[in-house]
């Protein structure tokens, strides 16, 4: 799994999820239930992960949508 985005913005997480769903790219939103730990303050970022094989396409889709600045470095 490759990390695409790490953010506290739940609206952004939802928008990225919709873009990936629309492209039929399976993804995982990690740490979304960590609000139990942080007291629902939203200080712990959520991570959007995709399979290695879908990484480049997912990055391109987010870039095309104007979200390139949200992408984690591609290691």
């Amino acid at each position: 799994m490759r990390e695409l985005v790490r953010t506290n913005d739940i609206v952004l997480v939802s928008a990225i999820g919709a873009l990936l769903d629309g492209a039929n790219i399976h993804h995982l939103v990690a740490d979304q239930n960590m609000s139990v730990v942080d007291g629902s303050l939203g200080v712990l970022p959520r991570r959007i992960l995709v399979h290695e094989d879908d990484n480049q396409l997912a990055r391109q889709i987010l870039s095309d949508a104007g979200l390139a600045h949200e992408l984690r470095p591609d290691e």
Side-chain angles (χ1 to χ4, degrees):
M1 297 295 281
R2 299 289 297 270
E3 183 178 356
L4 285 180
V5 175
R6 184 181 298 180
T7 183
N8 292 342
D9 186 340
I10 59 172
V11 175
L12 179 61
V13 169
S14 179
I16 291 172
L19 287 168
L20 295 175
D21 285 343
N24 201 27
I25 295 176
H26 298 285
H27 62 283
L28 170 69
V29 179
D31 306 325
Q32 65 183 352
N33 295 319
M34 291 301 290
S35 63
V36 172
V37 174
D38 76 9
S40 298
L41 298 175
V43 296
L44 297 175
R46 280 96 173 137
R47 295 174 296 137
I48 300 175
L49 309 172
V50 296
H51 190 273
E52 180 78 31
D53 295 342
D54 295 323
N55 183 50
Q56 288 305 316
L57 178 57
R59 295 177 74 79
Q60 186 62 53
I61 288 168
L62 296 185
S63 293
D64 291 347
L67 298 173
H69 62 284
E70 298 289 348
L71 291 168
R72 301 289 290 175
D74 194 17
E75 301 169 351

